[in-house]
Amino acid sequence: MFHNLSRVTSLALVLVAAPGCEIIDMIRGFAAAADEIGNHLESDLKSELTDAKISKVVEVTPLLTEFSKTAKTKWQPDPHAPDFSQLATAMGGLAEYIAFFESHGTRLTEYYVDVAKIADARSLLTLRKAHDEAAAKLKQERSELEGKIAAASGDEKKQLEDQLGVNTKASETLEQQFTQSMDARKAAKSGGSGGYTLSDAEIARVEARLPDITKAFAGAGYGEGK
């Protein structure tokens, strides 16, 4: 019980800041210094995360990993903390990667915006799943305790009632942490720093493609895909 509760609480603390916002801010800073790609950033942010876009990320991610190994400018992409300084300062580095993305039917900012959105949706899905699993276990434990209390008496009943009190408190804490985390994510998005808001349909598309996404992200060493 407490293991699952702790897991959800930890997730709430990690995800509360809506990591996609920070990533988009980094991309914005880079795009400001690179007009040839900056012109597309805002439209990329407003563009819907379609199944075709998810497929493109799944397709390009392993190709990008291999390309980075042999490119003149050695660059290890990381959508959770994109560092474009190597590309911006290396002679021809930026053009090299721009050409790579264009040759695969996308653009540098389009790819990273889509990856950021996918990572954001995956984080939200992970949080929801952890919450639902923990809530279900607490509910089952409560039902079992109530059944035992009905048949118990004396000291045994008192001990079971104490356990039920702990269960109730754990359930309340779980819901409070989950609500606070969701509210904080909404507040961060409404602040506008992320530049996008994921719809239920977009989140559902990511959920439907999780096996493919996880495989692609894991192969590239992208954060929680490991």
Side-chain angles (χ1 to χ4, degrees), residues 40-156:
H40 299 285
L41 179 57
E42 296 307 320
S43 62
D44 289 337
L45 288 167
K46 294 176 183 177
S47 180
E48 183 178 3
L49 183 62
T50 62
D51 192 62
K53 281 180 169 288
I54 294 173
S55 293
K56 180 61 68 174
V57 168
V58 169
E59 171 196 340
V60 171
T61 295
L63 300 177
L64 176 59
T65 300
E66 291 303 312
F67 175 80
S68 299
K69 294 176 182 177
T70 59
K72 292 179 181 178
T73 302
K74 304 303 179 185
W75 177 45
Q76 180 59 49
D78 181 359
H80 296 278
D83 179 7
F84 299 104
S85 60
Q86 287 174 286
L87 295 186
T89 58
M91 182 67 71
L94 179 59
E96 190 176 19
Y97 280 88
I98 288 177
F100 165 81
F101 285 108
E102 290 181 346
S103 70
H104 290 89
T106 184
R107 286 174 279 97
L108 193 152
T109 53
E110 180 180 30
Y111 172 80
Y112 268 98
V113 165
D114 290 343
V115 169
K117 289 179 179 180
I118 290 171
D120 199 13
R122 289 177 78 228
S123 295
L124 181 57
L125 289 167
T126 298
L127 179 60
R128 287 177 177 173
K129 181 180 179 181
H131 165 266
D132 291 347
E133 289 177 350
K137 288 188 176 183
L138 287 168
K139 183 178 180 180
Q140 180 181 354
E141 182 186 67
R142 180 178 184 84
S143 178
E144 292 174 355
L145 285 170
E146 289 175 341
K148 291 179 181 179
I149 289 172
S153 61
D155 292 341
E156 181 186 7

Side-chain angles (χ1 to χ4, degrees), residues 137-174:
K137 288 188 176 183
L138 287 168
K139 183 178 180 180
Q140 180 181 354
E141 182 186 67
R142 180 178 184 84
S143 178
E144 292 174 355
L145 285 170
E146 289 175 341
K148 291 179 181 179
I149 289 172
S153 61
D155 292 341
E156 181 186 7
K157 184 173 184 178
K158 177 63 169 61
Q159 291 176 355
L160 290 170
E161 288 174 341
D162 289 343
Q163 292 178 32
L164 182 60
V166 172
N167 174 280
T168 300
K169 181 61 178 177
S171 297
E172 292 173 352
T173 301
L174 175 66

